Structure formats: structure tokens, C-alpha cells
Amino acid sequence: MMRIKTVLHGLSALIALLGYLALAPHLDPLPLLAFPLLLALALLGEARGLRLLPNWAVNAAGVAAFALYVPQLSPTHLVPAVNILALLLGLRLLGDQSPRQLLQLYVLALFALAGSTLFDLSPRFALYLFTQFLAVALALVLLCFVRSAPDLRLSRAQWRQLLGSAWLLPGLALPLAAALFLVLPRTQVPLWNVLNQQGQATAGYTERVQPGAAPAIATGTALVLRAEMQALAPEDLYWRGTVLNQFDGSAWERRPPPGRAVETPAAGNQVTQRIFPEPTSQPVVFALDTPLSIHGLAAESSPDRVFSGRRRAHQRLSYEAVSTLGRVLVPQVRPPHDFYVQLPADLPPRLRDLAAEIYADAPSAEERLSRLRRYFAEGGFRYSTSDLPTGSDPLGRFLLEERAGHCEFFASAFAVLLRLGDIPARLVGGYYGGDYNEMGGYYLVRENRAHVWVEVLREGVGWERLDPSVYAVNYESALRGPPPGGWRRSLHMGLDTLEHFWSVTLLTFDLERQIQALRQTRGTLRDLSWDMERTRRWGATATLVLVVAGGLGLLWRRRRREDGDALLRAFLGQARRRLGRRRLPPHWGLYDIAAQLDDPAARRFVAVYAAALYGGQPLSQAQRRELQGLLRTMKKSPQRNSRR
């Protein structure tokens, strides 16, 4: 048997720990390390029956926490607020454990959990909330017992009954929570992302490619998008974003393509993707190369199959994209040659010399393209994200000296050499590859998948996709790599499936969707046509059935109760006969009468009848038969004088 007070203090520690765990990823080092230490001291004090700190000391330490962090607080810097919450939680564990102080602890823990939504809206919040809600509900029930009997111990059966009662509060709260979810406004991203613009994670994608701008690039793993679709071959996983068509000598940028003639994909398999991009203010709309159409999002398309849409910063959305899996875009009208071979006049001379060397005596564009591909394939180039060429001529250093760089070097150098060979070329920016989640049926594309490739205009063919990065000697390991496996991958994909479900079903249900759902509901109710006569007839029949069933139930319960009353009257009559009394004293209870009779049958009768009476349940058929048999046994017993 366990003491209620011990269980209550353990629950209180769990409630505080859940609030801390929700905040832990966002805390400064001091509160991050202080809370576990304070929790360990509190548990040690509970085990040894010690009160570690008086209330005045806890309050003084709380004031010190406020003084330390409040000056750092600002509308765009909210971490000090959660640091204070974590410290107050730990300090409260060391103080007095009276019901009033425990209630303060629960409120602080709930505030800590709510404060975590400033930074994170992942499914972990739902797990912490559910567990903390149940723990608080049980703790509130235990507080009622602790006030009157702090050292009370309960059996296992009593604990089961108590836990069943504790479920009542969460059960009643669930319908209210569902109703509030439908009507209350909410954000789709943590509030910190809205207030702190500098804290927004940026993807590796960029609309300006400048090789040599830095000696190394970061390979972050922030999520860019999820795309629900079937699994595809790696060579089909090019996610088109933008087309960069002008080179100023250091960077590639996009200008509006001349003319309005749309470029159409060549024949190929069509794939439909349901895409869920992470919140961003970038207007670009990603889809598999080459996108045909975008649905579910107000998007504009340009002739070179670049889609852009207006969206609010930090808004979660989804759209459907239909793409043709092909490598060629066929222009309806021949593109202006000069626009796509333009190069700056001050291009480094050694780039021009290299192009002349590669294309020497090559009479046709196809021959020049073939020689350039052979130059890259046999050049021993390596794919690298560190120790990159920089300086005034990074492309020359990449091609002629270091021969190591990432996709921007490969694509930019390839396109510049194509243009030096009078072959129209342009860059395409987006992403390549992705991790397929078999459990959820979607691809995860992260920022380290950002990629740039080339489209070259071939006579009689169209714009053909060429990815010069494939000529790197370490291409397979650098850009594809072996697919991860084992239980870690399965666990990761399972958790990501849960997060995807959380995002799609909960986070995207914003005010706009709430209004849309309300309108649909109102329209459905307005369009319903009811047959009133049939409704009244069915209603009357149902009412009659309910009344008859209720009446039969009441009669059955009354009969059961009357059977019990008759058995009790028979028992009292037998007691009067046995004791030789015309009336029994009014202060005698059933157990007093059984003690006066000193008869095992009488004691058993009282035990069975009282168990049903105080248990709030009518006598069962088996109990009635047993009581009737006990009455027959008592009837055979001789009469005797009562005890004085």
C-alpha cells in the first residue's frame, strides 16, 4: 500500500519535469543545468523527509531570477522569459509542499508548456500536453485526500478506482477542447518566428548564383518541403525553382525572358505531387522538372516554366503540381540567340583561351558540346563544399588549377564555356534528390539538397537538361550516397510521419480554413431538405420507445429494491423472534443486531446485504438466493433471551 502524499509529490515532480522538457531546447545554459540539479535535490529531500528551503528563501531566489533575466527581455527576444519560468519551476520544488504551493507549481508547469509554443509547434508539444494534463488531473484528485489525511495509504484496488475517477476531468474536457480548436484563432508557426525575423531559417536555395563568394558553404539540414508522391529514380528528382539567364562576370541572375512564347515539355511520364513547403516568404514555387501546372495556389508562370506565387511570410500551405518527367523543353518560337550567349566583355582571358582550345576545329555546335562534355568527364574534377576557389577569377581557378567545387562551380563554368562556344545556355536553380519516407509515402527535401544545373539549347531538340556535377569523380558519394537504413532510419521516418500528420491536420487549420469550414457547414445545413412529416413520425416513435424502455427499467429497479426491502424486513422479524423482543432499539444497526444474535448466518446476512447497500448496487440474483437461504437457517435456530 502506498501513501497518497508520496504519490502526489512524485506526480508534482513529473508535472514540473514535463514543463522543463518542453522548454529545454531553448534555454540558456544556467537554467538548462540548474533545473535537473534542483529536481534531484527535491527528490532526495522527499526520500529523507527533509524540507530543503523555507518559502521566503524560494521567493528571494525567484526575485533574483527576475532581476537577472528581465533586463534582457524584448519583444523580439523572448528566451529570458522562459529562462525565468524554468528557474521558478525548479525553485518551487525545493519549497513547502502544501496544497497551495503545489497548485502554484502546476500553474508554473502549464505556463512553461505554453511558453514552449513560442519556439516550437512540433508533435512533442501534444505528447507533453496530454501527459501533463493527466498528471495534473490525478494530482488535483489526490490533493483532496491529502488535506484531510496526508498519511492515508490505499490498496491496489482503491488506486484503480481513484485513477478511474481522475480520468473523468480529462474526459469532460475533450469535447470542450475540440470545440475551442475549431473556433479559436491560431498561428501556423511559432510566435518567435514571427517576431524574430533574423531567427528564420533560410533554405540553401538562392536566386543569385555567385561561385567563389566564400571559401566554404554550410550544408544545413533544415526541411524545405515534403512532396507526397510515388518513389522515383534518382535521375528524375530535379526540383525546378528558377532559371538564371544572365551572367555579369561574377554572378548569374534572372531577367524576364524575352518573348511570350511558352516552352512546353517533350513527351514523358506525368507525375502528380502534393507539395507541403515549409513557411517562407520566397515567391518561388517548386515542382519536379518540368512542371506543367500548379493547383491550389495562386501562381503565375513564365515562358521558361518558372512558377511564382504570392504568399504571406510564415504561412503554411500546400499545392498540387503536375510535372512531365523529361529532360527537354521545346520552345514554340526560337529563342533570341544573343540573349542566351551574352557574356561580359571583361571576362578573364584564360577562360576564352580554354574555350578556344576545347573547340579548336569543331565545325558544329553538337561537336563543340560533345568536346566540352568530354573535357569535364576526363578532367578529374571533384565535388567539394570546402576549400573553394575565390578571388577575381574563381571559375578559372576551378577549371585550370584546383578542379574542386560544388554545383555552382560546375554549372556556371559549364554554361560560360558553352556561351564562349556560341551555344545558348542558362542555369536552373532548385533542389536535387530527397529522402523517401515509405511509411508516409512522400519525399523530404532539405536545404543541403540545393542544386544548380544547366539547360543547353540544341538545334532540333530544344532546351535539354545537363547536370555537369555528374562528371565529378566523387559524384555518387557526394550527391547521392548510399541510402541510410536500419532501425534509426525507420524510427526517424516514423517520427517524421507523425510530424507531417501534425502539420497537415492541425497547424494548417488556421483562421482562413476555420472560416471556410464554417461557410461549408452553413451551406450544408441550408441545402438540407427535411421531410417534416417523416421526422415527426420517427420522433414520436422514438420517444414512445424511450418512455416504455425507461418505465420498464424503473419497474425492474423498483422490484429489485422491493425484493431487498422484503428480505431486510424478514431478517428483522427473525431477529425479534430470536431475541424475544417485540421491538428492537432504534440505535441498533445491522452489525449490532448480528452481534446480539451471535449467529454465523446472521453475520453473513448483514455482510452481504451491507456490501450491496453501501456499494450503491441492487442485490444480484445470486445474493438474493444466498440471503433467502440464510433466513431459512436463522428460522431453524431456537429462540433465546437478548443480551443486556
Side-chain angles (χ1 to χ4, degrees):
M1 300 179 70
M2 297 181 64
R3 281 199 322 161
I4 285 185
K5 188 175 181 180
T6 302
V7 176
L8 177 62
H9 289 172
L11 276 175
S12 302
L14 173 63
I15 292 168
L17 178 62
L18 290 170
Y20 164 77
L21 290 176
L23 291 178
H26 318 290
L27 295 175
D28 287 345
L30 174 60
L32 181 65
L33 299 175
F35 181 88
L37 177 61
L38 296 174
L39 176 61
L41 290 175
L43 294 176
L44 180 63
E46 172 65 24
R48 298 188 176 183
L50 302 175
R51 179 183 174 189
L52 299 176
L53 287 179
N55 282 334
W56 67 265
V58 173
N59 295 333
V63 171
F66 270 93
L68 177 62
Y69 285 109
V70 165
Q72 306 174 21
L73 191 62
S74 70
T76 59
H77 187 46
L78 305 178
V79 175
V82 296
N83 287 336
I84 295 172
L85 277 175
L87 289 174
L88 291 180
L89 261 180
L91 291 170
R92 186 68 271 163
L93 289 170
L94 298 183
D96 183 21
Q97 299 297 298
S98 66
R100 178 182 177 183
Q101 306 301 331
L102 290 177
L103 287 175
Q104 292 179 6
L105 177 69
Y106 304 157
V107 171
L108 280 173
L110 291 172
F111 268 112
L113 183 61
S116 69
T117 61
L118 295 172
F119 309 91
D120 184 23
L121 292 179
S122 69
R124 291 188 299 272
F125 171 78
L127 176 63
Y128 293 145
L129 177 62
F130 180 76
T131 309
Q132 193 177 74
F133 192 25
L134 292 181
V136 170
L138 179 57
L140 292 177
V141 174
L142 294 181
L143 276 176
C144 300
F145 289 88
V146 168
R147 277 183 170 273
S148 57
D151 295 323
L152 180 65
R153 297 176 182 269
L154 299 180
S155 64
R156 184 173 300 178
Q158 290 172 320
W159 275 112
R160 284 197 298 267
Q161 185 177 5
L162 188 62
L163 289 173
S165 302
W167 273 94
L168 182 62
L169 182 61
L172 293 176
L174 283 177
L176 177 61
L180 292 177
F181 172 78
L182 293 174
V183 300
L184 289 181
R186 66 187 60 83
T187 63
Q188 296 184 346
V189 294
L191 184 60
W192 175 252
N193 285 15
V194 178
L195 295 177
N196 183 23
Q197 299 292 336
Q198 296 179 350
Q200 177 185 346
T202 57
Y205 166 83
T206 177
E207 294 192 356
R208 187 173 190 269
V209 170
Q210 185 176 2
I217 61 170
T219 55
T221 58
L223 183 65
V224 176
L225 61 87
R226 295 183 178 93
E228 294 180 352
M229 53 185 287
Q230 71 269 30
L232 298 176
E235 58 268 20
D236 292 327
L237 293 176
Y238 285 87
W239 304 89
R240 191 182 188 90
T242 190
V243 172
L244 308 174
N245 49 34
Q246 293 298 297
F247 183 62
D248 63 6
S250 63
W252 288 85
E253 296 179 340
R254 175 173 177 78
R255 293 183 187 173
R260 296 186 177 181
V262 177
E263 300 167 2
T264 57
N269 295 329
Q270 290 191 4
V271 175
T272 300
Q273 317 118 61
R274 188 68 183 174
I275 298 179
F276 301 85
E278 288 297 289
T280 177
S281 57
Q282 290 181 342
V284 65
V285 177
F286 295 100
L288 281 178
D289 198 19
T290 306
L292 289 174
S293 59
I294 301 293
H295 306 283
L297 176 67
E300 300 177 352
S301 63
S302 64
D304 51 5
R305 314 309 297 178
V306 172
F307 286 83
S308 59
R310 295 181 180 179
R311 68 176 81 174
R312 296 189 300 271
H314 314 296
Q315 180 189 24
R316 287 187 179 272
L317 50 83
S318 65
Y319 56 88
E320 184 177 274
V322 180
S323 303
T324 297
L325 298 182
R327 301 173 58 90
V328 176
L329 272 173
V330 181
Q332 295 179 355
V333 179
R334 182 176 179 83
H337 184 85
D338 293 344
F339 184 81
Y340 288 104
V341 296
Q342 170 271 337
L343 287 171
D346 58 348
L347 198 68
R350 62 175 178 170
L351 290 180
R352 297 185 185 274
D353 294 341
L354 176 61
E357 180 183 341
I358 295 174
Y359 302 140
D361 301 326
S364 66
E366 286 296 314
E367 176 63 23
R368 292 193 292 274
L369 175 60
S370 176
R371 290 190 181 185
L372 180 60
R373 298 172 86 168
R374 186 165 59 248
Y375 173 81
F376 270 79
E378 298 174 356
F381 292 94
R382 294 182 61 259
Y383 197 94
S384 176
T385 56
S386 60
D387 298 325
L388 302 175
T390 57
S392 59
D393 183 18
L395 293 182
R397 292 184 58 190
F398 167 71
L399 290 168
L400 300 170
E401 300 174 18
E402 301 180 16
R403 299 193 173 230
H406 53 81
C407 60
E408 292 184 0
F409 283 91
F410 280 89
S412 183
F414 198 89
V416 167
L417 290 175
L418 281 173
R419 290 191 172 192
L420 285 171
D422 201 35
I423 302 174
R426 62 193 186 190
L427 266 58
V428 182
Y431 294 90
Y432 170 70
D435 301 316
Y436 194 70
N437 186 332
E438 297 85 357
M439 186 179 302
Y442 58 85
Y443 276 99
L444 294 108
V445 180
R446 303 186 182 277
E447 69 174 47
N448 57 1
R449 296 283 185 172
H451 197 57
V452 182
W453 59 95
V454 173
E455 286 183 340
V456 56
L457 184 62
R458 298 179 62 187
E459 188 70 30
V461 177
W463 289 104
E464 183 179 14
R465 182 177 71 224
L466 294 175
D467 188 356
S469 297
V470 302
Y471 298 119
V473 294
N474 60 337
Y475 168 74
E476 288 291 336
S477 60
L479 286 181
R480 291 187 180 178
W487 65 268
R488 287 187 178 87
R489 172 179 167 80
S490 300
L491 176 61
H492 172 73
M493 290 303 177
L495 293 176
D496 192 83
T497 300
L498 175 62
E499 186 168 349
H500 180 49
F501 174 80
W502 169 269
S503 174
V504 171
T505 58
L506 297 178
L507 297 186
T508 58
F509 193 74
D510 57 2
L511 181 59
E512 182 177 345
R513 292 177 183 248
Q514 288 171 319
I515 296 174
Q516 182 181 1
L518 181 61
R519 289 175 177 171
Q520 290 176 348
T521 303
R522 185 176 60 184
T524 302
L525 293 176
R526 185 174 57 248
D527 295 339
L528 287 176
S529 59
W530 297 95
D531 186 340
M532 298 308 297
E533 183 62 30
R534 182 178 299 177
T535 302
R536 283 195 294 268
R537 187 163 55 248
W538 278 102
T541 303
T543 303
L544 179 61
V545 170
L546 290 175
V547 169
V548 172
L552 292 175
L554 290 175
L555 289 175
W556 177 76
R557 289 181 63 87
R558 182 176 179 182
R559 182 177 178 183
R560 294 277 297 273
R561 186 165 58 249
E562 288 176 349
D563 288 347
D565 293 343
L567 291 170
L568 178 61
R569 288 194 297 270
F571 171 77
L572 295 176
Q574 291 291 340
R576 288 194 299 270
R577 182 185 66 81
R578 292 274 306 278
L579 296 174
R581 304 178 69 105
R582 296 184 60 184
R583 298 182 65 180
L584 297 176
H587 62 274
W588 281 9
L590 291 178
Y591 287 99
D592 295 326
I593 295 172
Q596 292 290 335
L597 293 174
D598 194 18
D599 184 350
R603 287 195 294 271
R604 176 61 183 166
F605 183 98
V606 170
V608 173
Y609 188 86
L613 175 66
Y614 297 119
Q617 299 293 331
L619 291 170
S620 65
Q621 188 68 27
Q623 289 173 326
R624 288 200 301 272
R625 286 196 298 268
E626 182 180 3
L627 294 179
Q628 290 168 354
L630 292 171
L631 285 174
R632 288 192 293 270
T633 302
M634 291 174 61
K635 192 173 183 179
K636 297 176 183 178
S637 301
Q639 179 178 343
R640 66 181 183 81
N641 293 330
S642 63
R643 294 180 181 178
R644 299 292 181 183

